[in-house]
């Protein structure tokens, strides 16, 4: 069995999820994540805290580019659910995470929580990666807030860049199905 270790930015992970190169473990249960848990993870990323290593498997049966998650399924589900819009979000990412938004953008007290439809000071996380959605939000914010919004938009863009550039250690185990089943069992035994 061969093991590769690397560091990958969140932006690249999201591209791999969208392209179908990252898949849940074959026996994974649906992710059951509350908005508060997801917001906590994104808050950690936003503030530069490490969120742990992700472990993947690849067998000779897999398409060469595909990886199956051994450890980190919930963290990946949060990233995909929060940052990918409905039409790009994989079925294994909880759709309700698309309701996460940044709030307090008009006051500088930026926090994550459930989106407030119609509130221009609330920015859905999934709209951050789509330039047109971001520009629509920027125009709505500018119309709704009397003060200059350039600083707010710059702050949001800097936060987004920092979050997407955050790196996560990646371990990819390549081997036979039997070898990888043993690795998965060992990882899960450590996790309780």
């Amino acid at each position: 069995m061969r093991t590769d270790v690397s560091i990958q930015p969140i932006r690249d992970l999201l591209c791999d999820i969208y392209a179908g190169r990252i898949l849940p473990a074959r026996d994974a249960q649906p992710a059951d994540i509350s908005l508060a848990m997801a917001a906590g993870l994104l808050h950690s990323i936003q503030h530069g805290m490490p969120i742990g290593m992700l472990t993947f498997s690849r067998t000779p049966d897999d398409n060469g580019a595909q990886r199956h998650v051994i450890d980190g399924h919930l963290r990946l589900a949060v990233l995909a659910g929060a940052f990918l819009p409905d039409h790009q979000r994989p079925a294994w990412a909880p759709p309700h995470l698309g309701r996460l938004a940044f709030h307090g953008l008009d006051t500088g007290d930026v926090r994550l929580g459930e989106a407030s439809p119609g509130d221009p000071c609330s920015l859905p996380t999934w709209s951050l990666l789509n330039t047109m959605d971001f520009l629509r939000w920027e125009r709505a914010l500018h119309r709704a807030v009397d003060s200059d919004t350039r600083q707010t938009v710059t702050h949001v863009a800097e936060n987004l860049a920092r979050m997407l550039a955050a790196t996560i250690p990646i371990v990819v185990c390549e081997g036979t199905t039997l070898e990888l089943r043993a690795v998965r069992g060992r990882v899960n035994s450590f996790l309780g």
Side-chain angles (χ1 to χ4, degrees):
M1 181 167 66
R2 193 174 123 216
T3 303
D4 292 322
V5 179
S6 63
I7 295 176
Q8 193 169 5
I10 289 174
R11 177 183 297 281
D12 293 352
L13 281 171
L14 290 169
C15 289
D16 287 347
I17 291 169
Y18 173 65
R21 291 186 293 264
I22 293 178
L23 302 170
R26 289 176 177 94
D27 60 346
Q29 300 297 315
D32 183 22
I33 305 165
S34 70
L35 286 175
M37 287 171 51
L41 179 71
L42 295 177
H43 182 268
S44 295
I45 294 168
Q46 181 183 9
H47 289 45
M49 295 178 222
I51 63 166
M53 177 177 70
L54 301 174
T55 308
F56 298 100
S57 68
R58 185 178 303 141
T59 67
D61 303 343
D62 292 331
N63 174 339
Q66 288 182 331
R67 298 176 283 177
H68 291 271
V69 181
I70 292 177
D71 179 44
H73 177 73
L74 294 179
R75 287 169 279 160
L76 284 171
V78 167
L79 293 174
F83 286 115
L84 296 177
D86 291 340
H87 68 282
Q88 293 179 341
R89 192 176 300 122
W92 51 268
H96 71 278
L97 296 183
R99 295 194 320 255
L100 277 171
F102 289 100
H103 295 279
L105 299 172
D106 53 336
T107 63
D109 178 29
V110 179
R111 61 200 180 287
L112 282 153
E114 189 164 357
S116 303
D119 177 5
C121 300
S122 170
L123 174 64
T125 53
W126 59 262
S127 68
L128 292 169
L129 297 179
N130 183 314
T131 304
M132 293 308 294
D133 287 330
F134 188 79
L135 291 174
R136 271 193 288 279
W137 166 78
E138 182 182 10
R139 283 192 298 272
L141 178 68
H142 186 67
R143 283 191 303 271
V145 179
D146 291 336
S147 63
D148 185 2
T149 58
R150 283 179 293 200
Q151 184 176 357
T152 300
V153 172
T154 300
H155 181 68
V156 169
E158 288 170 352
N159 264 305
L160 172 63
R162 188 171 42 256
M163 290 176 80
L164 294 177
T167 55
I168 299 176
I170 306 288
V171 174
V172 179
C173 304
E174 296 188 37
T176 66
T177 304
L178 189 59
E179 291 171 323
L180 293 171
R181 204 172 285 145
V183 169
R184 184 175 172 90
R186 292 183 91 181
V187 167
N188 289 334
S189 72
F190 290 122
L191 300 175

